[in-house]
């Protein structure tokens, strides 16, 4: 979950909705990539494991604050789902899952090493050895996936402390995100970010949280992406 809180409310964007936005960015990307359908599918399902957890969340949890054992288990299960659909998409989603535990293969600071993380990295490396090869084109597509993931985080309201794939990204509170250099085919890209809103407070009771989330009406924020200076 991507959370944004104020004194009275918490705004909740599901990771699966974030992933749908990443896939929409992939569809509108100007630069060609291949295999196109598989890469778009990977963007749509790169956080598929979260669908498992979000079907019965145990409380209000930011995607940054999850029990490592729970997180690693549902990420592996998510890649299993993708593998049943498409090998090329699964290869990218496996790289994405590993990247969460090794600093995106050196692109950013890795989290502290844990037994859970080490086990996931070994299991996903074995998966890729079976699915492979991870060639230059796969690495290029993985970097694109990371860019779409980071842009989608900004669009969904999560602050970004670094550029996304070499792009300068600036989000305004008025629902406008500027990007330079401009990477899309269209002159502007309009998106809707679905979310639900709950009163701020202690949502550690999983049953109460699930019921409140189910009862909360869906809302949407309009976000416009535009070329930056």
């Amino acid at each position: 979950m991507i959370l944004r809180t104020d004194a009275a409310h918490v705004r909740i964007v599901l990771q699966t909705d974030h992933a749908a936005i990443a896939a929409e960015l992939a569809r509108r990307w100007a630069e060609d990539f291949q295999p196109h359908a598989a890469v778009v599918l990977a963007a749509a399902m790169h956080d598929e494991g979260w669908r498992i957890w979000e079907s019965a969340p145990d409380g209000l949890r930011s995607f940054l604050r999850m029990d490592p054992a729970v997180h690693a288990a549902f990420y592996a299960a998510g890649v299993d789902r993708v593998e049943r659909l498409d090998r090329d998409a699964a290869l990218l989603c496996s790289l994405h899952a590993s990247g969460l535990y090794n600093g995106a293969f050196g692109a950013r600071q890795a989290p502290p090493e844990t037994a859970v993380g080490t086990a996931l990295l070994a299991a996903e490396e074995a998966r890729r050895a079976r699915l492979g090869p991870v060639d230059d084109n796969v690495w290029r597509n993985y970097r694109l996936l990371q860019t779409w993931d980071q842009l989608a985080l900004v669009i969904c309201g999560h602050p970004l402390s670094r550029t996304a794939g070499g792009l300068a990204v600036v989000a305004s509170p008025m629902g406008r995100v500027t990007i330079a250099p401009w990477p899309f085919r269209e002159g502007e890209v309009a998106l809707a970010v679905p979310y639900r809103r709950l009163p701020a407070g202690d949502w550690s009771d999983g049953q109460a949280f699930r019921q409140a989330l189910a009862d909360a009406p869906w809302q949407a924020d309009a976000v416009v992406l535009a070329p930056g200076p």
Side-chain angles (χ1 to χ4, degrees), residues 12-13 28-29 38-39 42 67 76 99 105 112-113 151 153 156 175 189 199 211 222:
I12 301 167
V13 177
R28 299 184 182 209
W29 204 249
V39 178
D67 177 85
F105 297 89
E113 186 174 325
L151 286 175
L153 286 174
C156 290
V189 174
Q211 188 61 56

Side-chain angles (χ1 to χ4, degrees), residues 75-145:
Y75 254 97
V79 183
D80 289 343
R81 288 185 175 184
V82 183
E83 186 177 347
R84 289 194 287 269
L85 297 175
D86 187 278
R87 167 198 165 278
D88 293 312
L91 205 56
L92 292 176
C93 290
S94 174
L95 289 169
H96 177 72
S98 293
L100 298 174
Y101 286 85
N102 66 12
F105 297 89
R108 57 180 180 264
Q109 184 174 355
E113 186 174 325
T114 64
V116 167
T118 299
L120 179 136
L121 289 170
E124 291 305 320
E125 185 175 2
R127 186 200 302 270
R128 294 193 296 275
R130 174 167 48 81
L131 294 175
V134 182
D135 58 19
D136 288 346
N137 187 59
V138 172
W139 282 116
R140 174 178 176 270
N141 290 336
Y142 168 71
R143 289 190 292 271
L144 284 173
L145 176 59

Side-chain angles (χ1 to χ4, degrees), residues 5-217:
T5 60
D6 57 32
H9 296 94
V10 56
R11 172 184 177 271
I12 301 167
V13 177
L14 299 182
Q15 291 297 124
T16 44
D17 291 323
H18 146 84
I21 289 172
E24 187 62 20
L25 299 178
R27 292 185 191 97
R28 299 184 182 209
W29 204 249
E31 183 183 357
D32 184 46
F33 51 85
Q34 296 297 331
H36 192 274
V39 178
V40 173
L41 179 63
M45 299 186 73
H46 73 277
D47 282 343
E48 184 64 14
W50 277 98
R51 194 181 305 277
I52 299 168
W53 185 83
E54 288 172 350
S55 66
D58 61 0
L60 186 65
R61 300 278 186 272
S62 164
F63 76 100
L64 296 173
R65 298 184 181 277
M66 289 294 298
D67 177 85
V70 173
H71 183 268
F74 70 61
Y75 254 97
V79 183
D80 289 343
R81 288 185 175 184
V82 183
E83 186 177 347
R84 289 194 287 269
L85 297 175
D86 187 278
R87 167 198 165 278
D88 293 312
L91 205 56
L92 292 176
C93 290
S94 174
L95 289 169
H96 177 72
S98 293
L100 298 174
Y101 286 85
N102 66 12
F105 297 89
R108 57 180 180 264
Q109 184 174 355
E113 186 174 325
T114 64
V116 167
T118 299
L120 179 136
L121 289 170
E124 291 305 320
E125 185 175 2
R127 186 200 302 270
R128 294 193 296 275
R130 174 167 48 81
L131 294 175
V134 182
D135 58 19
D136 288 346
N137 187 59
V138 172
W139 282 116
R140 174 178 176 270
N141 290 336
Y142 168 71
R143 289 190 292 271
L144 284 173
L145 176 59
Q146 298 313 293
T147 299
W148 300 327
D149 179 32
Q150 292 167 43
L151 286 175
L153 286 174
V154 175
I155 292 163
C156 290
H158 181 70
L160 189 70
S161 59
R162 58 186 182 276
T163 59
L167 303 174
V169 182
V170 179
S172 80
M174 302 305 293
R176 191 172 181 86
V177 177
T178 62
I179 304 172
W182 183 243
F184 300 104
R185 294 190 303 273
E186 304 157 70
E188 282 191 345
V189 174
L191 300 167
V193 180
Y195 70 93
R196 281 173 282 185
R197 193 168 65 164
L198 295 179
D202 180 9
W203 288 105
S204 57
D205 183 325
Q207 184 174 351
F209 175 73
R210 288 191 294 273
Q211 188 61 56
L213 188 65
D215 292 342

